[in-house]
Amino acid sequence: MAGQVFTLDALQAAHGDALLLHYGTLDNPRLIVIDGGPAGVYKASLDPRLKQIHAARGGAVLEIRMLMVSHIDDDHITGVLDLTKALRDLQDRHVTLPYDILTLWHNSFDDIAGHAGGGASVALRAAAGASKAPSDAAAIVASVPQGRQLRLDADRLGINMNSGFDDLIRFDADEGLKALKISPGLTFKTLGPRQAELDELEEKWDKDVKAFLKKKKKKKPGTGGGSEASLTPSELQALAAEFVDDSVHNLSSLVVLAEFGEKRILLTGDARGDFILESLRQANLIKNGKFKVDILKVPHHGSIHNVAKSFFETIIADHYVFSANGRDGNPDPPTFDLLFDARKTGTYHLWLTNNVAKSVTRIKNKKPSSVKLHVREADALSVKIELGSSITW
């Protein structure tokens, strides 16, 4: 790929994801932003990195071909909201924007479960407003209105929504794999979220609400009028938190196969490994039991709960990217055990966005000798995995 650029720039994103995809030619490189990490990452990593690229291009307006948010989780969407807020502030002051974002790919919760009447999103927004506890569940529920705010920001900034899809970005096995030409040479194939699970997700919310109301009515006759409005804010919070935690995180992450020339990057968000494998099977992408990619962004920050040995036996990569900083145990040391057990021979590379001591120790103690470990330097904004020509910006 002489003169061709295809680089995944994995930023220091604390316990979340913030990725930049560079592609094109050295003379005319292009850029896609994928997720923005949790609070603090925009200021610490994403904003400085975008400013570096902007300056390297001579200070002219930098085109961002796509802004993609994998799903409505705080550690993916907050930095993106910080970016759009900064742009809105400049717009309000009539300052020329440094970036021109052409399209936003994002499934808000309204898209996922609220389009059949809006009950789910109304209830979840009410629950988010009632949430006070700094728990994981509260943070998950609070991400719902964040997704709505991103939609509003996109409208204000004149950014196209979900270009290439009618509305919801998803993989429908009945329709087959949808391949979208994002730019000359670059194709995105969407493998998730899966339409079958999204349909079940929408039905599940209605069933959960009805079951909760029925139980409540038995305990207190005369209560529970058969709708979300019959639930108190605290009840909504508890029900919505359980619903989102159990369902949305497992089902709604965008999973995209990015292809440029003969090179392939599999971007997985926080999707479950078994759902990714099923989509690959239904899309007829697995050949002789294997699916080869150049880069795999390991799902859910390397959590052991999202992968299995069969996942690493089937999806074979030259480069594995782990975006995590040790929070919630990620990347889980047992995840590396699964990988090493699945791939005992051959040369491949591990890329860590943070120097997590327990993970690095496990890797060094157990990795096959041919496996190469790369950890982001303390003073660097990111690790760069370059599949084509090296970039200097």
Side-chain angles (χ1 to χ4, degrees), residues 300-315:
H300 206 176
H301 319 293
S303 170
I304 190 66
H305 302 295
N306 287 60
V307 293
K309 182 181 176 183
S310 59
F311 179 82
F312 291 120
E313 288 175 330
T314 304
I315 302 175

Side-chain angles (χ1 to χ4, degrees), residues 125-148:
R125 287 198 300 278
S131 176
K132 302 297 183 184
S135 64
D136 288 343
I140 291 165
V141 176
S143 296
V144 174
Q146 284 184 314
R148 175 168 286 269

Side-chain angles (χ1 to χ4, degrees), residues 253-276:
S253 274
L254 294 183
V255 179
V256 171
L257 178 65
E259 297 182 324
F260 187 72
E262 297 181 353
K263 300 295 184 179
R264 302 199 290 193
I265 300 175
L266 184 57
L267 303 164
T268 60
D270 282 1
R272 268 177 38 182
D274 55 339
F275 290 157
I276 296 171

